[in-house]
Amino acid sequence: MLRVKSPQNLGAGFAFGALGLAGLVLGRDLPFGSAARMGTGFFPLILSGLILAIGIWLALSSLVVSGERIERMQWRPVTFVSLAILAFGFVMTFAGLAVSAAALTLIAALARRETRWGETSILAIVLGLFSVALFIYGLGQAMPAWWGD
Amino acid sequence: MMDALSNLSMGFAVAATWQNIGFALIGCMLGTLIGVLPGIGPIPTIAMLLPLTFGLDPLSSLIMLAGIYYGAQYGGSTSSILVNMPGEASSVVTCMDGHQMARQGRAGAALAVAALGSFFAGCVGTLFIAAFGPALADVSQRFNSPEYFSLMALGLLMAVVLAQGSVIKAIGMVLVGLLFGLVGTDANTGTARYTLGISELWDGIDFLPMVIGVFGIVEIIRNLEQPELHRTSVSTRFKDLWPSRKDFAQSWKPALRGTGLGAILGILPGGGAVLASFASYTLEKKIARDPSRFGKGAIEGVAGPESANNAAAQTSFIPLLTLGLPSNPIMALMMGAMIIQGIQPGSAVMTTRPDLFWGMVASMWIGNMMLVIINLPMIGLWVKLLTVPYRLLYPAILLFCVIGIYGVNSNWVLMAMTVVFALFGYIMSRFGCEAAPMILGFLLGPMMEENLRRSLVLSRGDPMVFVTRPISAFLLFLCVLLVLVIILPTVRKSREEAFQGGD
């Protein structure tokens, strides 16, 4: 009966295995060449192979050597921080920095379990104005400040 | 020696303009501002502030970056001493005695000794670079492709061994970094590799979304996972800062020893601040007349490690500036910044742009001085900042990260890339794989491939070229030795013990 003794190593093994495989599969059309005339695939395919080997090694050793557990993933901060970044990029395409900064602040606030909306709204307005003042008027970065700019 | 001094004075002539001093000042303040926030170490701080320096000319931008670096490091010490929240491993040591001192009402003395020790170490480190940099650069002139390839292999391996955590996972991350470094159009043939049909990847993976994703954003997510702690900061005013005569008497020798130790350890690839501060703390504890005082507020335990980590921070520039080899993640960030400015770090910088090299060395000293004359008087402000709750801070930090990326390239694809790298970094950290070795690999990937190709062309495909050339053979011999050392169980055990305090 196989038992996983080191979940962290198993996870890492799968991750490296997947990356190595991806490197091999996506790079399959790159010419390998020979040592004297290295093709564009020579180095990346060797690297991918090594990464795959490390992945397999870690996965197998996780069945033998005991190690640490994987801490539980906390999806709430991961999700909302990611969404906040993506929303910023999207809103910037039409609404300027002030609105985008406020949008990022509001969405990022959801990353914590209890959100204080009053406080967060004020923070959103302050950060929106502050970032325009600092980055556009202060540092002269080339990006639209307001909606319609 | 005279040479070094005349070179240094040339450096000061270009670095010490009002404009550049202004940039050093701004960098130092911003670095401290972000670095002082609890739980944020120098690496994410530098990653976040990196974009601000891009608009400047190369020298000014490097000067500002040096300011950010020293500010971030000192900010880390401040939050360690005052709230016992180390931003990164090298500050863990400072927490042990520094925070105890703060609790006994001697926070001011601890902060001042940390700053003065760092300043002294920084001065010595600067001289060290001036003295040894050119010598090492001369050696590297004799290097050819096989030597460079072996040197990079050794550098990456050492960085992995001397870092914390599992060696095999770190090697895996280095390899992944090397592979990521190859994404984009191959310089030799013009073939696109691993671009997945995304035109933004034709020039390779952008450095900023990657480092801000894996360092900055992951740091924010990790902090959000912790329940908000009620942070009690020990209040400090400027007038409490001056250490007593007794404090001075107790701390100058540890500072001296720490400086020496740090300066040497900093040069080693993979060395740098963390190793230096651990080593110095261990040394001070070992030679102390009464080791039991350590951990209970011994000023030696602050003076030694703080000097050591600054000396190491300084001398770890040597391999970067002379060999083009980043020895730790912070140097990798510096290297990334230099490449973005169009400078390929290495011995060539010293001969083709001596003003830049010596200006940068001088700017390190200026950055260190800024730290003392700006940050100590502003300590009251930094203390106030420590009490701002994290729920108000993180949206601002996140915004800073994102605007930094967007300001350089207004493209939403970069936002998506940032998210992808953040998720990748977060998941890998759950598996016990740290992102830092990946960044080293990422920067060295293209260079390693190029040197491998040239070496093999040189030898008509014979891999023996790496062992028949003496310098390369010696470097590879060191690699083998290192691998043997890792495998030997006794060494492995003592390495684990050495890093115990850091986890």
Side-chain angles (χ1 to χ4, degrees):
Chain A
M1 178 65 196
L2 280 174
R3 253 192 59 233
V4 178
K5 289 185 177 160
S6 172
Q8 269 199 4
N9 283 9
L10 186 69
F14 275 116
F16 284 128
L19 284 165
L21 269 183
L24 289 175
V25 171
L26 294 171
R28 67 188 180 280
D29 293 331
L30 299 173
F32 191 76
S34 64
R37 296 181 61 89
M38 272 168 55
T40 44
F42 191 88
F43 198 47
L45 290 174
I46 289 179
L47 286 176
S48 306
L50 288 173
I51 295 167
L52 180 62
I54 284 182
I56 293 172
W57 168 262
L58 277 172
L60 289 180
S61 75
S62 75
L63 303 174
V64 186
V65 188
S66 43
E68 280 170 69
R69 299 164 46 96
I70 302 174
E71 246 179 287
R72 206 169 57 85
M73 302 273 175
Q74 297 204 16
W75 295 111
R76 193 180 181 99
V78 178
T79 312
F80 287 104
V81 167
S82 304
L83 276 180
I85 299 170
L86 293 175
F88 178 88
F90 175 65
V91 178
M92 266 315 263
T93 55
F94 57 90
L97 182 59
V99 179
S100 308
L104 175 137
T105 310
L106 293 175
I107 297 173
L110 289 164
R112 282 167 39 87
R113 201 154 280 132
E114 64 274 1
T115 312
R116 308 181 185 187
W117 286 111
E119 192 184 81
T120 305
S121 317
I122 296 170
L123 183 68
I125 295 168
V126 171
L127 283 180
L129 297 176
F130 176 74
S131 57
V132 168
L134 178 66
F135 287 95
I136 295 179
Y137 297 126
L139 294 166
Q141 298 231 7
M143 48 177 113
W146 315 105
W147 199 310
D149 271 4
Chain B
M1 198 60 210
M2 281 323 285
D3 247 16
L5 288 182
S6 72
N7 280 329
L8 263 185
S9 67
M10 168 177 82
F12 276 105
V14 289
T17 62
W18 283 113
Q19 191 198 4
N20 284 339
I21 289 180
F23 284 124
L25 176 81
I26 297 170
C28 224
M29 290 200 18
L30 285 174
T32 315
L33 183 75
I34 307 285
V36 82
L37 302 175
I40 300 183
I43 300 174
T45 303
I46 297 169
M48 280 174 215
L49 295 174
L50 207 51
L52 290 179
T53 66
F54 288 170
L56 309 173
D57 67 276
L59 184 61
S60 304
S61 106
L62 290 177
I63 286 175
M64 185 166 162
L65 208 58
I68 291 174
Y69 179 23
Y70 302 124
Q73 218 166 28
Y74 187 68
S77 316
T78 307
S79 52
S80 301
I81 290 171
L82 294 180
V83 286
N84 203 19
M85 283 189 70
E88 54 128 28
S90 80
S91 308
V92 170
V93 178
T94 312
C95 277
M96 294 197 258
D97 280 285
H99 188 62
Q100 287 306 321
M101 283 181 72
R103 288 181 142 188
Q104 296 158 13
R106 294 200 292 149
L111 287 165
V113 162
L116 295 174
S118 298
F119 178 63
F120 172 73
C123 295
V124 174
T126 307
L127 287 175
F128 222 74
I129 298 180
F132 289 98
L136 207 60
D138 272 348
V139 173
S140 74
Q141 302 271 300
R142 272 181 267 154
F143 279 24
N144 214 324
S145 304
E147 284 79 26
Y148 270 115
F149 182 81
S150 305
L151 180 71
M152 285 181 214
L154 178 66
L156 287 174
L157 203 58
M158 272 183 94
V160 160
V161 175
L162 295 177
Q164 279 169 280
S166 149
V167 172
I168 180 105
K169 287 179 191 168
I171 292 179
M173 289 305 267
V174 165
L175 293 173
V176 169
L178 287 169
L179 189 61
F180 281 163
L182 300 179
V183 170
T185 312
D186 175 36
N188 267 307
T189 57
T191 322
R193 292 190 286 187
Y194 300 112
T195 51
L196 311 171
I198 302 169
S199 60
E200 277 77 9
L201 288 179
W202 286 347
D203 291 333
I205 294 176
D206 251 287
F207 186 61
L208 268 187
M210 184 178 211
V211 291
I212 290 183
V214 296
F215 292 133
I217 310 290
V218 169
E219 198 75 31
I220 293 173
I221 295 174
R222 277 195 200 163
N223 281 333
L224 281 170
E225 287 178 342
Q226 320 286 334
E228 176 133 18
L229 298 170
H230 187 65
R231 291 197 302 264
T232 43
S233 170
V234 183
S235 76
T236 315
R237 283 165 307 168
F238 180 50
K239 69 180 181 59
D240 303 334
L241 276 178
W242 205 244
S244 67
R245 196 169 289 239
K246 184 164 163 263
D247 291 333
F248 268 123
Q250 279 179 326
S251 48
W252 71 271
K253 274 191 212 154
L256 221 57
R257 283 190 290 263
T259 303
L261 199 61
I264 293 164
L265 288 175
I267 301 180
L268 296 181
V274 185
L275 190 68
S277 51
F278 273 101
S280 161
Y281 192 81
T282 316
L283 177 73
E284 291 308 323
K285 203 171 165 180
K286 220 160 234 166
I287 61 175
R289 220 171 285 150
D290 176 17
S292 67
R293 281 173 52 245
F294 280 77
K296 294 181 195 139
I299 198 163
E300 298 95 314
V302 178
E306 279 293 305
S307 310
N309 80 33
N310 218 47
Q314 201 75 272
T315 54
S316 56
F317 272 100
I318 292 179
L320 177 64
L321 293 176
T322 58
L323 304 170
L325 194 73
S327 53
N328 58 44
I330 291 180
M331 288 304 118
L333 292 175
M334 293 286 168
M335 183 175 173
M338 291 173 86
I339 292 174
I340 290 171
Q341 290 286 351
I343 308 158
Q344 183 68 47
S347 60
V349 174
M350 212 179 295
T351 45
T352 57
R353 295 281 318 262
D355 59 316
L356 201 66
F357 177 84
W358 293 105
M360 198 168 148
V361 174
S363 77
M364 295 172 190
W365 189 81
I366 295 175
N368 271 305
M369 193 182 58
M370 287 293 163
L371 215 61
V372 177
I373 59 175
I374 303 300
N375 277 355
L376 284 183
M378 289 178 74
I379 198 76
L381 179 69
W382 306 136
V383 170
K384 282 222 181 60
L385 199 68
L386 279 170
T387 54
V388 176
Y390 196 66
R391 63 170 194 278
L392 298 179
L393 283 177
Y394 79 85
I397 300 172
L398 185 64
L399 185 63
F400 226 71
C401 290
V402 171
I403 295 177
I405 301 170
Y406 203 86
V408 174
N409 192 345
S410 314
N411 186 338
W412 72 269
V413 175
L414 296 190
M415 298 290 122
M417 272 164 66
T418 310
V419 170
V420 168
F421 278 111
L423 291 176
F424 177 71
Y426 176 75
I427 291 171
M428 291 313 276
S429 79
R430 274 292 193 267
F431 297 152
C433 304
E434 292 303 321
M438 181 177 91
I439 301 294
L440 292 180
F442 176 74
L443 285 167
L444 290 181
M447 277 196 284
M448 240 179 139
E449 183 183 33
E450 192 48 39
N451 282 306
L452 178 65
R453 178 188 332 238
R454 284 194 205 149
S455 311
L456 289 177
V457 167
L458 204 76
S459 72
R460 300 200 183 82
D462 182 6
M464 292 305 283
V465 67
F466 295 109
V467 285
T468 48
R469 297 172 63 106
I471 300 178
S472 165
F474 176 68
L475 294 169
L476 284 182
F477 170 72
L478 289 180
C479 285
V480 174
L481 212 64
L482 213 54
V483 171
L484 285 179
V485 161
I486 305 168
I487 299 171
L488 290 180
T490 47
V491 183
R492 194 199 283 173
K493 207 169 149 217
S494 65
R495 177 176 168 273
E496 273 158 21
E497 273 164 15
F499 280 119
Q500 281 254 293
D503 291 322

PDB file of all heavy atoms in Angstrom, chain A residues 3 9 23 25 30 32 48 57 69 72 85 106 114-115 123 128 132 141 145:
ATOM      1  N   ARG A   3       1.706   5.033   0.555  1.00  0.00           N
ATOM      2  CA  ARG A   3       1.190   6.156   1.331  1.00  0.00           C
ATOM      3  C   ARG A   3       2.081   7.367   1.106  1.00  0.00           C
ATOM      4  O   ARG A   3       3.299   7.260   1.069  1.00  0.00           O
ATOM      5  CB  ARG A   3       1.155   5.804   2.818  1.00  0.00           C
ATOM      6  CG  ARG A   3      -0.272   5.565   3.310  1.00  0.00           C
ATOM      7  CD  ARG A   3      -0.304   5.519   4.822  1.00  0.00           C
ATOM      8  NE  ARG A   3       0.193   6.739   5.423  1.00  0.00           N
ATOM      9  CZ  ARG A   3       1.153   6.773   6.348  1.00  0.00           C
ATOM     10  NH1 ARG A   3       1.712   5.680   6.742  1.00  0.00           N
ATOM     11  NH2 ARG A   3       1.535   7.925   6.863  1.00  0.00           N
ATOM     12  N   ASN A   9       6.398  17.514  -1.005  1.00  0.00           N
ATOM     13  CA  ASN A   9       7.280  17.031  -2.061  1.00  0.00           C
ATOM     14  C   ASN A   9       6.503  16.434  -3.228  1.00  0.00           C
ATOM     15  O   ASN A   9       6.906  16.566  -4.377  1.00  0.00           O
ATOM     16  CB  ASN A   9       8.251  15.990  -1.518  1.00  0.00           C
ATOM     17  CG  ASN A   9       9.372  16.638  -0.742  1.00  0.00           C
ATOM     18  OD1 ASN A   9       9.320  17.836  -0.482  1.00  0.00           O
ATOM     19  ND2 ASN A   9      10.363  15.862  -0.369  1.00  0.00           N
ATOM     20  N   GLY A  23       7.566  21.874 -21.194  1.00  0.00           N
ATOM     21  CA  GLY A  23       8.755  22.318 -21.921  1.00  0.00           C
ATOM     22  C   GLY A  23       9.087  21.376 -23.066  1.00  0.00           C
ATOM     23  O   GLY A  23       9.442  21.820 -24.167  1.00  0.00           O
ATOM     24  N   VAL A  25       6.937  19.194 -24.574  1.00  0.00           N
ATOM     25  CA  VAL A  25       5.867  19.135 -25.576  1.00  0.00           C
ATOM     26  C   VAL A  25       5.837  20.410 -26.415  1.00  0.00           C
ATOM     27  O   VAL A  25       5.813  20.364 -27.652  1.00  0.00           O
ATOM     28  CB  VAL A  25       4.501  18.908 -24.893  1.00  0.00           C
ATOM     29  CG1 VAL A  25       3.374  19.067 -25.907  1.00  0.00           C
ATOM     30  CG2 VAL A  25       4.469  17.533 -24.241  1.00  0.00           C
ATOM     31  N   LEU A  30      11.230  22.421 -31.957  1.00  0.00           N
ATOM     32  CA  LEU A  30      12.485  23.161 -32.027  1.00  0.00           C
ATOM     33  C   LEU A  30      13.598  22.201 -32.415  1.00  0.00           C
ATOM     34  O   LEU A  30      13.721  21.130 -31.836  1.00  0.00           O
ATOM     35  CB  LEU A  30      12.808  23.807 -30.672  1.00  0.00           C
ATOM     36  CG  LEU A  30      11.788  24.821 -30.152  1.00  0.00           C
ATOM     37  CD1 LEU A  30      12.142  25.242 -28.741  1.00  0.00           C
ATOM     38  CD2 LEU A  30      11.740  26.039 -31.067  1.00  0.00           C
ATOM     39  N   PHE A  32      16.875  20.233 -32.433  1.00  0.00           N
ATOM     40  CA  PHE A  32      17.804  19.925 -31.351  1.00  0.00           C
ATOM     41  C   PHE A  32      19.239  20.202 -31.788  1.00  0.00           C
ATOM     42  O   PHE A  32      20.057  20.671 -31.026  1.00  0.00           O
ATOM     43  CB  PHE A  32      17.634  18.462 -30.930  1.00  0.00           C
ATOM     44  CG  PHE A  32      18.353  18.124 -29.656  1.00  0.00           C
ATOM     45  CD1 PHE A  32      17.832  18.530 -28.428  1.00  0.00           C
ATOM     46  CD2 PHE A  32      19.531  17.405 -29.681  1.00  0.00           C
ATOM     47  CE1 PHE A  32      18.484  18.219 -27.246  1.00  0.00           C
ATOM     48  CE2 PHE A  32      20.190  17.090 -28.488  1.00  0.00           C
ATOM     49  CZ  PHE A  32      19.665  17.496 -27.280  1.00  0.00           C
ATOM     50  N   SER A  48      14.293  21.100 -19.843  1.00  0.00           N
ATOM     51  CA  SER A  48      12.978  20.499 -19.589  1.00  0.00           C
ATOM     52  C   SER A  48      13.123  19.071 -19.091  1.00  0.00           C
ATOM     53  O   SER A  48      12.430  18.653 -18.161  1.00  0.00           O
ATOM     54  CB  SER A  48      12.132  20.521 -20.855  1.00  0.00           C
ATOM     55  OG  SER A  48      12.040  21.812 -21.371  1.00  0.00           O
ATOM     56  N   TRP A  57      11.705  12.507  -9.426  1.00  0.00           N
ATOM     57  CA  TRP A  57      12.470  12.183  -8.223  1.00  0.00           C
ATOM     58  C   TRP A  57      11.731  12.640  -6.961  1.00  0.00           C
ATOM     59  O   TRP A  57      11.600  11.896  -5.988  1.00  0.00           O
ATOM     60  CB  TRP A  57      13.854  12.832  -8.310  1.00  0.00           C
ATOM     61  CG  TRP A  57      14.620  12.810  -7.031  1.00  0.00           C
ATOM     62  CD1 TRP A  57      14.725  13.817  -6.119  1.00  0.00           C
ATOM     63  CD2 TRP A  57      15.377  11.711  -6.496  1.00  0.00           C
ATOM     64  NE1 TRP A  57      15.497  13.421  -5.071  1.00  0.00           N
ATOM     65  CE2 TRP A  57      15.910  12.139  -5.267  1.00  0.00           C
ATOM     66  CE3 TRP A  57      15.646  10.418  -6.964  1.00  0.00           C
ATOM     67  CZ2 TRP A  57      16.705  11.310  -4.483  1.00  0.00           C
ATOM     68  CZ3 TRP A  57      16.441   9.598  -6.171  1.00  0.00           C
ATOM     69  CH2 TRP A  57      16.960  10.038  -4.952  1.00  0.00           C
ATOM     70  N   ARG A  69       3.410  18.801   5.607  1.00  0.00           N
ATOM     71  CA  ARG A  69       2.101  18.855   4.960  1.00  0.00           C
ATOM     72  C   ARG A  69       1.981  20.139   4.146  1.00  0.00           C
ATOM     73  O   ARG A  69       2.712  21.086   4.375  1.00  0.00           O
ATOM     74  CB  ARG A  69       0.992  18.886   6.025  1.00  0.00           C
ATOM     75  CG  ARG A  69       0.951  17.690   6.938  1.00  0.00           C
ATOM     76  CD  ARG A  69       0.101  18.051   8.159  1.00  0.00           C
ATOM     77  NE  ARG A  69      -1.133  18.710   7.728  1.00  0.00           N
ATOM     78  CZ  ARG A  69      -2.279  18.067   7.557  1.00  0.00           C
ATOM     79  NH1 ARG A  69      -2.348  16.778   7.792  1.00  0.00           N
ATOM     80  NH2 ARG A  69      -3.364  18.697   7.175  1.00  0.00           N
ATOM     81  N   ARG A  72      -3.141  24.668   3.907  1.00  0.00           N
ATOM     82  CA  ARG A  72      -4.364  24.793   3.124  1.00  0.00           C
ATOM     83  C   ARG A  72      -4.328  26.060   2.256  1.00  0.00           C
ATOM     84  O   ARG A  72      -3.924  27.119   2.697  1.00  0.00           O
ATOM     85  CB  ARG A  72      -5.563  24.861   4.066  1.00  0.00           C
ATOM     86  CG  ARG A  72      -6.869  24.391   3.464  1.00  0.00           C
ATOM     87  CD  ARG A  72      -7.904  24.245   4.574  1.00  0.00           C
ATOM     88  NE  ARG A  72      -8.081  25.504   5.307  1.00  0.00           N
ATOM     89  CZ  ARG A  72      -8.897  26.479   4.914  1.00  0.00           C
ATOM     90  NH1 ARG A  72      -9.614  26.344   3.817  1.00  0.00           N
ATOM     91  NH2 ARG A  72      -9.016  27.573   5.621  1.00  0.00           N
ATOM     92  N   ILE A  85      -6.157  43.090  -9.636  1.00  0.00           N
ATOM     93  CA  ILE A  85      -5.106  43.444 -10.602  1.00  0.00           C
ATOM     94  C   ILE A  85      -5.673  43.449 -12.024  1.00  0.00           C
ATOM     95  O   ILE A  85      -5.457  44.379 -12.798  1.00  0.00           O
ATOM     96  CB  ILE A  85      -3.929  42.444 -10.517  1.00  0.00           C
ATOM     97  CG1 ILE A  85      -3.303  42.490  -9.117  1.00  0.00           C
ATOM     98  CG2 ILE A  85      -2.872  42.760 -11.564  1.00  0.00           C
ATOM     99  CD1 ILE A  85      -2.300  41.384  -8.884  1.00  0.00           C
ATOM    100  N   LEU A 106     -11.483  48.797  -4.089  1.00  0.00           N
ATOM    101  CA  LEU A 106     -12.749  48.191  -3.673  1.00  0.00           C
ATOM    102  C   LEU A 106     -12.703  46.672  -3.817  1.00  0.00           C
ATOM    103  O   LEU A 106     -13.157  45.939  -2.929  1.00  0.00           O
ATOM    104  CB  LEU A 106     -13.906  48.764  -4.497  1.00  0.00           C
ATOM    105  CG  LEU A 106     -14.207  50.257  -4.232  1.00  0.00           C
ATOM    106  CD1 LEU A 106     -15.281  50.756  -5.175  1.00  0.00           C
ATOM    107  CD2 LEU A 106     -14.631  50.465  -2.777  1.00  0.00           C
ATOM    108  N   GLU A 114     -13.906  40.236   6.734  1.00  0.00           N
ATOM    109  CA  GLU A 114     -14.879  41.299   7.061  1.00  0.00           C
ATOM    110  C   GLU A 114     -14.409  42.603   6.420  1.00  0.00           C
ATOM    111  O   GLU A 114     -13.298  43.061   6.644  1.00  0.00           O
ATOM    112  CB  GLU A 114     -15.093  41.443   8.577  1.00  0.00           C
ATOM    113  CG  GLU A 114     -13.931  41.871   9.414  1.00  0.00           C
ATOM    114  CD  GLU A 114     -13.067  40.685   9.819  1.00  0.00           C
ATOM    115  OE1 GLU A 114     -13.386  39.536   9.417  1.00  0.00           O
ATOM    116  OE2 GLU A 114     -12.090  40.885  10.523  1.00  0.00           O
ATOM    117  N   THR A 115     -15.244  43.120   5.537  1.00  0.00           N
ATOM    118  CA  THR A 115     -14.902  44.344   4.825  1.00  0.00           C
ATOM    119  C   THR A 115     -15.693  45.495   5.421  1.00  0.00           C
ATOM    120  O   THR A 115     -16.908  45.393   5.574  1.00  0.00           O
ATOM    121  CB  THR A 115     -15.264  44.201   3.333  1.00  0.00           C
ATOM    122  OG1 THR A 115     -14.762  42.962   2.872  1.00  0.00           O
ATOM    123  CG2 THR A 115     -14.669  45.319   2.522  1.00  0.00           C
ATOM    124  N   LEU A 123     -11.121  55.182   1.536  1.00  0.00           N
ATOM    125  CA  LEU A 123      -9.771  54.807   1.101  1.00  0.00           C
ATOM    126  C   LEU A 123      -9.676  54.799  -0.426  1.00  0.00           C
ATOM    127  O   LEU A 123      -8.697  55.271  -1.000  1.00  0.00           O
ATOM    128  CB  LEU A 123      -9.408  53.424   1.663  1.00  0.00           C
ATOM    129  CG  LEU A 123      -8.002  52.938   1.361  1.00  0.00           C
ATOM    130  CD1 LEU A 123      -6.972  53.779   2.097  1.00  0.00           C
ATOM    131  CD2 LEU A 123      -7.836  51.466   1.748  1.00  0.00           C
ATOM    132  N   GLY A 128      -7.387  56.997  -5.132  1.00  0.00           N
ATOM    133  CA  GLY A 128      -7.597  57.415  -6.508  1.00  0.00           C
ATOM    134  C   GLY A 128      -6.992  58.788  -6.761  1.00  0.00           C
ATOM    135  O   GLY A 128      -6.226  58.988  -7.709  1.00  0.00           O
ATOM    136  N   VAL A 132      -3.198  59.754  -8.728  1.00  0.00           N
ATOM    137  CA  VAL A 132      -3.132  60.702  -9.843  1.00  0.00           C
ATOM    138  C   VAL A 132      -2.144  61.814  -9.506  1.00  0.00           C
ATOM    139  O   VAL A 132      -1.273  62.179 -10.306  1.00  0.00           O
ATOM    140  CB  VAL A 132      -4.525  61.302 -10.146  1.00  0.00           C
ATOM    141  CG1 VAL A 132      -4.393  62.481 -11.091  1.00  0.00           C
ATOM    142  CG2 VAL A 132      -5.418  60.233 -10.751  1.00  0.00           C
ATOM    143  N   GLN A 141       4.198  60.320 -15.152  1.00  0.00           N
ATOM    144  CA  GLN A 141       4.022  59.094 -15.927  1.00  0.00           C
ATOM    145  C   GLN A 141       2.951  59.300 -16.994  1.00  0.00           C
ATOM    146  O   GLN A 141       1.962  59.991 -16.761  1.00  0.00           O
ATOM    147  CB  GLN A 141       3.583  57.948 -15.007  1.00  0.00           C
ATOM    148  CG  GLN A 141       4.624  57.642 -13.969  1.00  0.00           C
ATOM    149  CD  GLN A 141       4.978  56.169 -13.927  1.00  0.00           C
ATOM    150  OE1 GLN A 141       4.531  55.404 -14.759  1.00  0.00           O
ATOM    151  NE2 GLN A 141       5.790  55.788 -12.966  1.00  0.00           N
ATOM    152  N   ALA A 145      -5.380  60.258 -16.644  1.00  0.00           N
ATOM    153  CA  ALA A 145      -5.718  60.469 -15.235  1.00  0.00           C
ATOM    154  C   ALA A 145      -7.203  60.258 -14.976  1.00  0.00           C
ATOM    155  O   ALA A 145      -7.583  59.567 -14.044  1.00  0.00           O
ATOM    156  CB  ALA A 145      -5.303  61.875 -14.817  1.00  0.00           C
TER     157      ALA A 145
END
